[in-house]
Amino acid sequence: MKNCLKDPESLSTAPVVAAGLIGGWQVARATGVRPIGGVVLAAAGVLAGRSWWARKGAATAVGLSAAYLGAFGASHPLAKRIGAWPSVLTVTAAAAGAAYWFGDRN
């Protein structure tokens, strides 16, 4: 079977991170089933993590994975203060920015 995933070293991870955070939230919201949103979040995280590991090594992959999961966790209390959309967009911008800065750029 042919590998259907893009070469991990050529994948731009910032959009994947954004898709995982925003997409996971929207899937959970639209279906009313939070674990399905978690599957989207996890799939994007694994895809991005695979690229960070291949491109930058274990330390960067662990750090960016922690930032990704931290953004997800921070969105919940932040949403109580500023609302759901602003919260998700804020943490997504931070996580995607970190993914670009530390994982994607040469």
Side-chain angles (χ1 to χ4, degrees):
M1 178 177 197
K2 185 178 175 184
N3 186 359
C4 62
L5 294 177
K6 191 172 185 176
D7 174 42
E9 293 183 8
S10 66
L11 178 70
S12 181
T13 63
V16 174
V17 165
L21 289 166
I22 294 172
W25 174 59
Q26 282 296 294
V27 166
R29 187 170 172 242
T31 63
V33 182
R34 292 178 73 167
I36 295 174
V39 169
V40 173
L41 181 81
V46 168
L47 187 61
R50 171 181 172 262
S51 290
W52 297 327
W53 190 289
R55 190 179 304 133
K56 302 288 183 168
T60 299
V62 168
L64 288 172
S65 295
Y68 180 67
L69 293 173
F72 167 71
S75 70
H76 293 82
L78 187 59
K80 292 179 181 181
R81 293 182 164 260
I82 65 173
W85 264 115
S87 172
V88 171
L89 293 176
T90 299
V91 301
T92 298
Y100 171 76
W101 190 261
F102 296 107
D104 290 343
R105 72 184 180 102
N106 292 325

